[in-house]
Amino acid sequence: MTSSVTSDSSPHPDSGEPEATADHGPGQPLPPADADPAFDPGARFRRFFNDPRWALAMIRATVLEAAHPQIGAALIDSSTFVAHPWRRLQNTLLSMQRMFGADDQVRQREAARLNRMHARLSGTDARDQPYDAMDPEVRAWVVATMYESAVTMYRLSGQPLDQSTMEGLYAEFQAFLAVLGDQAGHLPPTLQEFWPYYDRVVEEELENTEALRIILYKLFDHLPAPAVLEGLPTVWAAGRALAGPVVGAVTVASLPESFRRRAGLPELPGARTLTQSAYLAIGLTRFLPDDWIQAEAVAGLLTLSPDSDDPRARTITAVRDGIKRAGALIRLITPLPAEPAPADTAGSRRGAEEFFHTVLDQTGDGYLDWPDLAAMARELSGRLDLDEPEETRLYNAFADWWKELQTALDSDGDGRVSAEEYAAAVPTLAGPALIRVADVLFDATDTDGNQSIDADEYRALFRTGFRRDLADTGDTYSRSAFVKDFLTFMSGRRRSTIYDPLLAQA
């Protein structure tokens, strides 16, 4: 059987060729294939989290997902992956850790949350074709891309998995899908049947979708700086200019050859060699100390706000200051263009256009509509780990706010609000529906119901220590103070050291 999973048209991993069992870390071989695949501590999938190669594999899997018409349409309509990619990365890692952790109660709770979230993602695309994130076949394809990309990750790294290891890994992905409620599977029951299924979807269903093109040709070129580098635009732009094209080329070269031809994706000279070299080079980093490559720690560092009370923030701030001083010295010696002026400090006024694009337009499509406010509700619900019915109350409050905004701001009646329409009617934002959003959010944060937010409740929402300058005296945050601060921020009047990391940072 000829494979369509790699650029070199090598045989499928189940073709019977002898293959080695890959080590997944220094002195840590994968567990035997007859181990319990249902989320035990030695599960193969759990080890992927801290393998640096998994980052390339997940980008590849995301591209294959985006090429599916239904998934691509959902990404375009509702996802924040363009405007807030780092936040989405952190949330995805957190969700996967919950799903593959040892606590079954946490796993079931997360599965229920994912199902509620996906149930809200449905509609029609630009061609009036329906999409539904709860479609079992669509959900199966998402899991299939993750599994196949994991297998490809090892092979491109020169460590192809043996048959028994692949079968055990496949059982774990099937178990993951079953936890979501898709017991019937919609994935083939055996690995031997999986490869024909995978080839058929690639050949017959995948398309060169808008979401795929954005990921390959826009996201890497215009990737916003993570929070930790927001004050260093020149440093970030230089690094992105070097790394972005390489990541894009590596991703394209690793896609199924038949799909690349059909979608008209470019094949750069030497891309196959570059791809294998990238996987090999990144794979070497797995021999670094474990605490250097922990996925959760790396993601947390990238999304770390300079204003955070995390001890690492002080170190990062010191490094940033040193880089800025070095940059200033270089500009004195060489006639380089000046860096853009830094953003206004917290508490200063924010322009209407800036607020529209950094806070309101969560999906990054240039307009404000319901998916943007739904993304806010989704982020807040995830931060607070809300269950029913609190999650639904928050979504409904945001839905009512959207109706109020649409009535007040949508002057041309196209069902969405442009930046120009917003700027012309800024004072109307803080209406009764937005006040209701603030009240519902306060109730969700105030878990003990004592009508004040304490330090622990504060950290659950803002992921930072208690801000005495914004809160009431006595280490509490009253409803009135909370609602006032929320309205001030959400009406675009002023910046906020606590709400900017929550809804504005990438």
Side-chain angles (χ1 to χ4, degrees):
M1 182 187 300
T2 301
S3 170
S4 65
V5 295
T6 63
S7 57
D8 57 358
S9 297
S10 58
H12 265 314
D14 66 338
S15 61
E17 294 187 357
E19 294 166 319
T21 301
D23 287 344
H24 194 77
Q28 292 183 342
L30 291 170
D34 59 355
D36 181 7
F39 314 107
D40 63 80
R44 299 159 185 81
F45 187 84
R46 293 183 64 186
R47 299 192 178 199
F48 291 160
F49 290 128
N50 300 318
D51 189 322
R53 295 171 296 181
W54 185 235
L56 285 178
M58 284 303 296
I59 293 173
R60 180 183 184 275
T62 300
V63 169
L64 289 170
E65 293 168 21
H68 191 289
Q70 287 204 59
I71 300 174
L75 286 173
I76 289 296
D77 282 355
S78 302
S79 178
T80 62
F81 77 98
V82 173
H84 302 278
W86 300 109
R87 190 178 76 194
R88 189 173 189 271
L89 170 65
Q90 187 178 35
N91 290 342
T92 299
L93 284 174
L94 176 60
S95 178
M96 297 306 290
Q97 287 170 338
R98 289 172 175 172
M99 288 295 292
F100 282 89
D103 191 326
D104 185 64
Q105 185 176 1
V106 170
R107 179 164 43 255
Q108 296 296 335
R109 181 184 178 90
E110 179 64 13
R113 187 191 70 83
L114 289 174
N115 284 335
R116 293 196 304 272
M117 181 182 73
H118 290 149
R120 294 184 172 100
L121 301 179
S122 62
T124 55
D125 62 17
R127 299 177 300 180
D128 290 329
Q129 298 296 315
Y131 66 84
D132 183 357
M134 288 296 288
D135 186 325
E137 294 185 2
V138 170
R139 286 149 68 95
W141 177 245
V142 171
V143 175
T145 64
M146 294 168 62
Y147 171 75
E148 188 275 338
S149 291
V151 172
T152 299
M153 174 187 82
Y154 279 107
R155 188 162 49 77
L156 290 177
S157 302
Q159 297 176 302
L161 302 178
D162 62 34
Q163 185 71 17
S164 62
T165 300
M166 286 192 296
E167 289 176 351
L169 182 62
Y170 187 61
E172 292 174 11
F173 277 90
Q174 289 176 307
F176 169 67
L177 195 59
V179 170
L180 293 175
D182 294 352
Q183 282 84 358
H186 288 272
L187 277 179
T190 67
L191 182 60
Q192 289 69 28
E193 295 170 280
F194 171 81
W195 297 115
Y197 153 80
Y198 179 85
D199 285 337
R200 179 189 62 77
V201 176
V202 168
E203 293 284 350
E204 299 177 7
E205 298 187 33
L206 300 194
E207 300 176 3
N208 188 351
T209 63
E210 182 182 356
L212 179 146
R213 294 191 296 273
I214 288 177
I215 294 173
L216 291 179
Y217 305 123
K218 178 180 178 181
L219 183 59
F220 294 143
D221 290 342
H222 302 280
L223 188 69
V228 72
L229 293 177
E230 278 190 344
L232 302 169
T234 302
V235 173
W236 174 250
R240 182 179 59 192
L242 292 174
V246 173
V247 174
V250 165
T251 302
V252 170
S254 69
L255 295 176
E257 183 178 0
S258 61
F259 175 67
R260 290 203 322 269
R261 289 198 306 267
R262 195 171 72 255
L265 299 179
E267 185 169 357
L268 302 178
R272 185 176 67 184
T273 301
L274 175 64
T275 298
Q276 293 175 327
S277 299
Y279 274 92
L280 284 170
I282 295 177
L284 293 176
T285 62
R286 72 187 186 279
F287 296 106
L288 294 172
D290 288 345
D291 57 350
W292 288 21
I293 58 175
Q294 290 287 330
E296 184 178 11
V298 173
L301 182 63
L302 290 173
T303 56
L304 183 64
S305 170
D307 296 317
S308 172
D309 66 334
D310 190 308
R312 295 174 298 174
R314 292 192 292 271
T315 303
I316 295 298
T317 299
V319 173
R320 287 157 56 105
D321 291 343
I323 295 175
K324 287 181 179 179
R325 285 194 296 270
L329 179 60
I330 292 174
R331 287 194 296 274
L332 287 175
I333 301 172
T334 58
L336 294 174
E339 288 188 2
D344 293 338
T345 57
S348 63
R349 293 194 175 276
R350 188 202 304 267
E353 183 175 350
E354 180 194 0
F355 179 76
F356 182 90
H357 290 293
T358 60
V359 178
L360 296 180
D361 183 16
Q362 291 281 307
T363 59
D365 64 355
Y367 292 91
L368 170 62
D369 54 10
W370 167 240
D372 296 303
L373 270 63
M376 294 183 196
R378 188 163 61 243
E379 174 64 20
L380 295 170
S381 297
R383 289 248 182 164
L384 297 172
D385 195 20
L386 297 184
D387 212 338
E388 289 284 14
E390 289 82 5
E391 182 183 277
T392 297
R393 286 186 64 215
L394 188 61
Y395 269 89
N396 289 342
F398 271 97
D400 291 340
W401 186 38
W402 166 237
K403 294 175 183 176
E404 185 178 82
L405 289 174
Q406 194 174 22
T407 300
L409 305 182
D410 183 16
S411 58
D412 60 8
D414 65 350
R416 56 187 184 177
V417 177
S418 67
E420 293 76 15
E421 289 173 328
Y422 162 73
V426 172
T428 64
L429 275 176
L434 183 58
I435 297 174
R436 173 63 176 164
V437 170
D439 277 327
V440 172
L441 181 58
F442 178 89
D443 290 338
T445 307
D446 178 24
T447 55
D448 59 11
N450 68 350
Q451 297 303 305
S452 66
I453 294 174
D454 61 27
D456 290 337
E457 293 167 340
Y458 189 96
R459 181 176 285 280
L461 178 60
F462 297 112
R463 292 178 181 167
T464 190
F466 205 76
R467 297 282 184 179
R468 295 182 65 92
D469 57 327
L470 295 180
D472 300 341
T473 58
D475 287 341
T476 60
Y477 201 5
S478 71
R479 180 185 294 272
S480 60
F482 181 92
V483 170
K484 177 183 176 182
D485 291 336
F486 183 82
L487 294 179
T488 299
F489 175 77
M490 290 304 296
S491 61
R493 299 173 194 163
R494 290 190 178 276
R495 295 177 179 274
S496 168
T497 54
I498 57 173
Y499 284 106
D500 268 354
L502 181 62
L503 292 173
Q505 284 184 349

